[in-house]
Coordinates of all heavy atoms in Angstrom, one line a residue:
G1 N 80.3 11.3 -25.9 CA 80.6 10.9 -27.3 C 79.6 9.8 -27.8 O 79.0 9.9 -28.9
L2 N 79.4 8.8 -26.9 CA 78.5 7.7 -27.3 C 77.1 8.1 -27.3 O 76.4 7.6 -28.2 CB 78.7 6.5 -26.2 CG 80.1 5.8 -26.2 CD1 80.2 4.9 -25.0 CD2 80.5 5.2 -27.5
S3 N 76.7 8.9 -26.5 CA 75.3 9.4 -26.4 C 75.1 10.3 -27.7 O 74.0 10.0 -28.3 CB 75.0 10.4 -25.2 OG 75.2 9.6 -24.0
I4 N 76.0 11.0 -28.2 CA 75.9 11.7 -29.5 C 75.7 10.8 -30.5 O 74.9 10.8 -31.4 CB 77.0 12.6 -29.7 CG1 77.0 13.8 -28.6 CG2 77.0 13.2 -31.1 CD1 78.3 14.6 -28.6
A5 N 76.5 9.7 -30.6 CA 76.5 8.8 -31.7 C 75.1 8.1 -31.8 O 74.6 8.0 -32.9 CB 77.5 7.7 -31.5
I6 N 74.6 7.7 -30.6 CA 73.3 7.0 -30.6 C 72.2 7.9 -31.1 O 71.2 7.5 -31.8 CB 73.1 6.4 -29.2 CG1 74.0 5.2 -29.0 CG2 71.6 6.0 -29.1 CD1 74.0 5.0 -27.4
A7 N 72.3 9.2 -30.6 CA 71.2 10.1 -31.0 C 71.3 10.4 -32.5 O 70.2 10.5 -33.2 CB 71.4 11.4 -30.3
I8 N 72.5 10.5 -33.0 CA 72.5 10.7 -34.5 C 72.0 9.4 -35.3 O 71.3 9.6 -36.3 CB 74.0 10.9 -34.9 CG1 74.5 12.2 -34.4 CG2 74.3 10.8 -36.5 CD1 76.1 12.5 -34.6
A9 N 72.4 8.3 -34.8 CA 71.8 7.1 -35.4 C 70.3 7.0 -35.3 O 69.6 6.5 -36.3 CB 72.4 5.8 -34.8
R10 N 69.7 7.4 -34.2 CA 68.3 7.5 -34.1 C 67.5 8.4 -35.0 O 66.3 8.3 -35.2 CB 67.8 7.6 -32.5 CG 68.3 6.5 -31.7 CD 68.0 6.7 -30.3 NE 66.5 6.5 -30.0 CZ 65.9 6.6 -28.9 NH1 66.6 7.1 -27.8 NH2 64.6 6.4 -28.7
T11 N 68.3 9.4 -35.4 CA 67.6 10.4 -36.4 C 68.0 10.0 -37.8 O 67.7 10.7 -38.8 CB 68.2 11.8 -36.2 OG1 69.6 11.9 -36.2 CG2 67.7 12.3 -34.7
G12 N 68.6 8.8 -38.0 CA 68.8 8.3 -39.4 C 70.2 8.6 -40.0 O 70.5 8.3 -41.1
G13 N 71.1 9.2 -39.2 CA 72.4 9.5 -39.6 C 73.5 8.4 -39.5 O 73.1 7.5 -38.6
R14 N 74.6 8.5 -40.1 CA 75.7 7.5 -39.8 C 76.9 8.3 -39.4 O 77.2 9.5 -39.6 CB 76.1 7.0 -41.3 CG 75.1 6.3 -42.0 CD 75.6 5.7 -43.3 NE 76.8 4.8 -43.3 CZ 76.7 3.5 -43.0 NH1 75.6 3.0 -43.2 NH2 77.8 2.8 -43.0
C15 N 77.5 7.6 -38.5 CA 78.6 8.3 -37.8 C 79.7 7.2 -37.4 O 79.5 5.9 -37.4 CB 78.2 9.0 -36.5 SG 77.3 7.9 -35.3
R16 N 80.9 7.7 -37.0 CA 82.1 6.9 -36.6 C 82.7 7.5 -35.4 O 83.0 8.7 -35.3 CB 83.0 6.9 -37.8 CG 84.2 6.0 -37.5 CD 85.0 5.9 -38.8 NE 84.4 5.3 -39.9 CZ 84.5 5.6 -41.2 NH1 85.5 6.5 -41.4 NH2 83.9 5.1 -42.0
V17 N 82.7 6.7 -34.3 CA 83.2 7.1 -33.1 C 84.7 6.8 -33.0 O 85.1 5.6 -33.4 CB 82.5 6.4 -31.8 CG1 83.1 6.8 -30.5 CG2 81.0 6.7 -31.9
L18 N 85.5 7.8 -32.7 CA 86.9 7.6 -32.5 C 87.4 7.8 -31.1 O 87.2 8.9 -30.6 CB 87.7 8.6 -33.5 CG 87.1 8.8 -35.0 CD1 87.8 9.9 -35.7 CD2 87.4 7.4 -35.8
G19 N 88.1 6.8 -30.5 CA 88.6 7.1 -29.3 C 89.1 5.9 -28.6 O 89.0 4.8 -29.1
R20 N 89.8 6.0 -27.4 CA 90.4 4.9 -26.7 C 90.3 5.3 -25.3 O 90.7 6.5 -24.8 CB 91.9 4.8 -27.1 CG 92.5 3.6 -26.5 CD 94.0 3.6 -26.8 NE 94.7 4.7 -26.3 CZ 96.0 5.0 -26.8 NH1 96.5 4.5 -27.7 NH2 96.5 6.1 -26.2
T21 N 89.9 4.4 -24.4 CA 89.8 4.6 -22.9 C 91.2 4.9 -22.4 O 92.1 4.1 -22.6 CB 89.1 3.5 -22.1 OG1 87.7 3.4 -22.8 CG2 88.9 3.8 -20.8
V22 N 91.4 6.0 -21.6 CA 92.6 6.2 -21.0 C 92.4 6.4 -19.5 O 91.2 6.7 -19.0 CB 93.2 7.6 -21.7 CG1 93.5 7.4 -23.1 CG2 92.2 8.7 -21.5
P23 N 93.4 6.3 -18.7 CA 93.4 6.5 -17.3 C 92.8 7.8 -17.0 O 93.4 8.8 -17.4 CB 94.8 6.3 -16.8 CG 95.4 5.3 -17.8 CD 94.8 5.8 -19.1
G24 N 92.0 8.0 -16.0 CA 91.3 9.2 -15.6 C 90.2 9.7 -16.4 O 89.6 10.8 -16.0
A25 N 89.7 8.9 -17.4 CA 88.5 9.3 -18.1 C 87.4 9.4 -17.1 O 87.1 8.6 -16.3 CB 88.2 8.3 -19.2
A26 N 86.6 10.6 -17.3 CA 85.6 10.9 -16.3 C 84.5 10.0 -16.2 O 83.7 9.9 -15.2 CB 85.3 12.4 -16.4
S27 N 84.1 9.5 -17.4 CA 82.8 8.7 -17.5 C 82.7 7.6 -16.5 O 81.7 7.4 -15.9 CB 82.6 8.3 -19.0 OG 82.4 9.4 -19.8
A28 N 83.7 6.8 -16.4 CA 83.8 5.7 -15.5 C 84.2 6.1 -14.0 O 83.9 5.2 -13.2 CB 84.7 4.6 -16.0
A29 N 84.7 7.2 -13.9 CA 85.2 7.7 -12.6 C 84.2 8.5 -11.7 O 84.5 8.6 -10.5 CB 86.5 8.4 -12.7
S30 N 83.1 8.9 -12.3 CA 82.2 9.7 -11.6 C 81.3 8.8 -10.6 O 81.3 7.6 -10.6 CB 81.3 10.5 -12.4 OG 80.2 9.7 -12.9
A31 N 80.4 9.6 -9.9 CA 79.5 8.8 -8.9 C 78.0 8.8 -9.6 O 77.2 8.2 -9.1 CB 79.4 9.6 -7.7
G32 N 77.9 9.4 -10.8 CA 76.7 9.3 -11.5 C 75.5 10.2 -11.1 O 74.4 9.9 -11.2
L33 N 75.9 11.3 -10.3 CA 74.9 12.1 -9.6 C 74.0 12.7 -10.8 O 74.6 13.3 -11.8 CB 75.6 13.2 -8.7 CG 76.0 12.6 -7.4 CD1 76.8 13.7 -6.6 CD2 74.9 12.1 -6.5
L34 N 72.8 12.8 -10.5 CA 71.8 13.7 -11.4 C 71.3 14.8 -10.5 O 70.2 14.6 -9.9 CB 70.8 12.7 -12.0 CG 71.2 11.5 -12.7 CD1 70.1 10.7 -13.2 CD2 72.1 11.8 -13.9

């Protein structure tokens, strides 16, 4: 979601991110493998 917001902003758009971190959210829990 944050990556989308930044990409929209970089193309000149405006956006609003709606969310709240909850237990188990995958972004912070992964190992970051590429």
Side-chain angles (χ1 to χ4, degrees):
L2 297 175
S3 300
I4 291 168
I6 290 167
I8 290 171
R10 293 183 74 181
T11 59
R14 296 178 62 90
C15 57
R16 184 173 297 149
V17 179
L18 311 171
R20 183 185 69 197
T21 301
V22 294
S27 292
S30 81
L33 285 173
L34 306 178

